[in-house]
Amino acid sequence: MPSEAIKGYIAKVNADPSSHPGNNASHADLVNHAKGLGFSFTEKEIKEHLDSDGVNDAGGGGCNFNDVAF
């Protein structure tokens, strides 16, 4: 289950598309971007969240982070 910080970050990015970090954002980029928006989580936490969603196992080349494409 994602942390409250990850949930809040996802909600913020979904609500404000102009705050989207970009399609090629790395785990480190997501952590830094989230900090700039007032959310704090680690690279390990975001990686675990993405792994638990099965996103990293999906084929096709895209990364969808709870309906926010990265």
Side-chain angles (χ1 to χ4, degrees):
M1 170 166 316
S3 71
E4 292 303 313
I6 291 174
K7 288 180 192 177
Y9 175 67
I10 292 167
K12 169 68 177 170
V13 173
N14 281 335
D16 181 7
S18 68
S19 69
H20 195 284
N23 291 337
N24 295 318
S26 68
H27 296 145
D29 293 336
L30 292 175
V31 169
N32 289 328
H33 184 257
K35 283 182 185 176
L37 296 175
F39 301 97
S40 180
F41 49 83
T42 66
E43 286 183 54
K44 181 179 177 184
E45 288 173 310
I46 194 67
K47 181 182 180 322
E48 288 172 353
H49 174 70
L50 293 172
D51 287 346
S52 71
D53 272 357
V55 172
N56 290 336
D57 295 330
C63 177
N64 187 314
F65 182 53
N66 289 342
D67 299 326
V68 177
F70 288 99

